[in-house]
Amino acid sequence: MKVNKISTEQAILRFLKKESHSYLSGQALSKAFGISRTAIWKHMNAIKEMGYSIEASPAKGYRLNLQNLPFNAIEIATNLNTSFIAKNLSFYNKIESTNDTAKEFAANDAKEGFTVVADYQKKGKGRLGRRWESPAGVNIYTSIILRPNIMPVFAPQLTLVAAVAVAETVAKFLNPPTSPFSKGGLKDFPPLTEGGMGGFLSVKWPNDILINSKKVAGILTEMDSEADRINFVILGIGINVNVTKKMLPPELKSIATSLKEETGKEVSRTDLLQTLYLNIETWYKKYLKEGFELIREAWNVYFKMAGKVVRIQQLGKTVEGIAIGIDTDGALLLQDKGGSIIKIISGEIELYTAT
Ligand code: BT5
């Protein structure tokens, strides 16, 4: 039987994880895997090069340090509870943009759920050619290929589906489990925080997740379609996890935040991604099965600008009004000065503060 290097290493890693309470001798490993002690030693070196910390002692043998596991495809795949999202995963230490790479995979027939993750993006993208700041070693940059059987005109709803899933994920890592919002009326909805640890979590139409009005995550949905069918959608998500204010460029210091900035604690990117993928899968399936209404309700729970006067910057024009929430199709609803309801399908929303 031909065993390739990666699968032997993965098998050794699995064994080391299971037995991490004690040292394993080179001899025991050599026997367990039916390979020489020199081969074990070589695999150990390769495992270390993958970023794992292995304590090695000539007298006792090898032991894996579970405290400091690297961020990589193997760890993300371990204990991932999804059925199709990220089951096929391509991991990069460095990439231009996960959305661009996912697009290439999709154009080459990658299946729904195929996912790209990177530790660092050289050219992380926002909407309309804007830049997404993507430093190495601290955040999440991921893109998922979806092939929904819906009309292209409904594709913007997927951004809102993702926003609910991202907000729910961020909430889990912010919230003490005893949040007042997790009890009572909002049973089907994720808990929210109002002040206190982690601050105030909200969504901003159409694609931002905010904590205390600062951006913690952004979503970039790109589509390839024909007149009446979607070929694929790339759902790109960036979440600021452990980046600190100090690491951010000056123009973002007052408008961006991260989970670490808000909680003072380092968050495991692997745990967060596994939760994110599961939440995306759950909400996406709900959306396809039950329609947009459930998403609309969940999204509106997180929308904290309702009732406030907002200003929408659109290409070449500004619209003002009282924010109401999202409509049955995902458009933003505003009430203008005259009392009429206006539907906004694109633009930047900001709170209006009289100067
Ligand atoms: C977004 O655009 O918010 C979409 C961001 C999507 C990023 C992900 S990362 C994985 C995938 N691959 C990609 O190449 N992109 C996606 P937009 O609404 O246009 O917001 C962009 C604006 O957010 C910028 O102009 C900055 O003001 C701000 N910004 C940039 N980097 C940020 C960061 N790391 N954290 C918070 N705000 C940021």
Side-chain angles (χ1 to χ4, degrees), residues 96-100 121 123-128 130-135 139-143 207-208 215-220 236-238 240 248 252 255-257 348:
E96 299 274 307
S97 150
T98 54
N99 261 39
D100 290 350
Q121 291 188 122
K123 284 197 188 141
K125 300 190 300 183
R127 292 175 303 147
L128 307 168
R130 288 186 285 243
R131 182 180 158 77
W132 185 255
E133 203 54 41
S134 310
N139 289 339
I140 278 175
Y141 317 111
T142 187
S143 300
N207 68 324
D208 292 356
K215 190 157 169 172
V216 69
I219 298 161
L220 176 65
I237 298 167
N240 295 335
L248 291 170
L252 292 186
I255 58 167
T257 191
E348 302 295 322

Side-chain angles (χ1 to χ4, degrees), residues 69-346:
L69 295 172
F71 184 53
N72 64 23
I74 296 174
E75 294 306 314
I76 296 166
T78 307
N79 304 325
L80 178 68
N81 291 324
T82 57
S83 58
F84 67 98
I85 302 281
K87 280 294 184 193
N88 245 317
L89 184 111
S90 202
F91 183 96
Y92 298 80
N93 288 324
K94 186 161 82 177
I95 206 168
E96 299 274 307
S97 150
T98 54
N99 261 39
D100 290 350
T101 300
K103 224 179 282 170
E104 284 166 23
F105 276 110
N108 284 304
D109 295 331
K111 290 217 173 75
E112 172 156 271
F114 184 99
T115 296
V116 175
V117 189
D119 184 55
Y120 164 56
Q121 291 188 122
K122 284 197 278 183
K123 284 197 188 141
K125 300 190 300 183
R127 292 175 303 147
L128 307 168
R130 288 186 285 243
R131 182 180 158 77
W132 185 255
E133 203 54 41
S134 310
V138 282
N139 289 339
I140 278 175
Y141 317 111
T142 187
S143 300
I144 301 164
I145 297 174
L146 298 177
R147 297 186 183 275
N149 188 10
I150 58 173
M151 294 291 280
V153 66
F154 294 123
Q157 295 180 342
L158 292 168
T159 304
L160 303 165
V161 172
V164 170
V166 174
E168 185 173 20
T169 305
V170 170
K172 186 177 165 200
F173 286 82
L174 280 179
N175 264 332
T178 52
S179 159
F181 285 84
S182 57
K183 294 188 201 129
L186 295 172
K187 209 165 102 309
D188 279 342
F189 295 133
L192 302 174
T193 47
E194 294 256 23
M197 192 190 103
F200 190 94
L201 177 67
S202 66
V203 290
K204 183 177 152 193
W205 187 86
N207 68 324
D208 292 356
I209 313 300
L210 312 176
I211 305 174
N212 289 325
S213 307
K214 289 182 184 172
K215 190 157 169 172
V216 69
I219 298 161
L220 176 65
T221 312
E222 297 184 282
M223 173 171 68
D224 182 294
S225 71
E226 286 155 40
D228 56 357
R229 70 181 278 258
I230 291 177
N231 294 325
F232 60 80
V233 166
I234 306 295
L235 193 60
I237 298 167
I239 306 181
N240 295 335
V241 185
N242 295 317
V243 66
T244 57
K245 218 184 224 176
K246 263 196 207 148
M247 298 167 76
L248 291 170
E251 70 277 13
L252 292 186
K253 284 191 198 296
S254 62
I255 58 167
T257 191
S258 71
L259 279 166
K260 186 173 176 185
E261 278 291 336
E262 298 298 326
T263 63
K265 281 190 278 179
E266 193 94 2
V267 172
S268 153
R269 287 183 290 164
T270 303
D271 290 353
L272 194 124
L273 259 188
Q274 289 168 341
T275 308
L276 175 71
Y277 293 144
L278 189 59
N279 286 341
I280 288 185
E281 187 172 287
T282 305
W283 284 103
Y284 178 60
K285 276 188 188 161
K286 272 189 206 178
Y287 167 69
L288 292 181
K289 194 162 165 238
E290 294 168 49
F292 185 64
E293 187 52 25
L294 199 64
I295 309 300
R296 192 174 79 86
E297 284 175 32
W299 193 92
N300 278 331
V301 169
Y302 282 119
F303 185 56
K304 299 296 168 192
M305 287 182 176
K308 303 212 166 110
V309 179
V310 298
R311 182 180 267 173
I312 311 287
Q313 302 287 0
Q314 292 176 318
L315 293 173
K317 104 171 181 211
T318 304
V319 184
E320 264 174 37
I322 298 171
I324 296 173
I326 46 170
D327 201 359
T328 45
D329 57 1
L332 180 71
L333 295 176
L334 289 192
Q335 185 175 25
D336 72 8
K337 277 191 190 127
S340 321
I341 304 296
I342 331 168
K343 239 174 145 157
I344 307 286
I345 53 166
S346 72

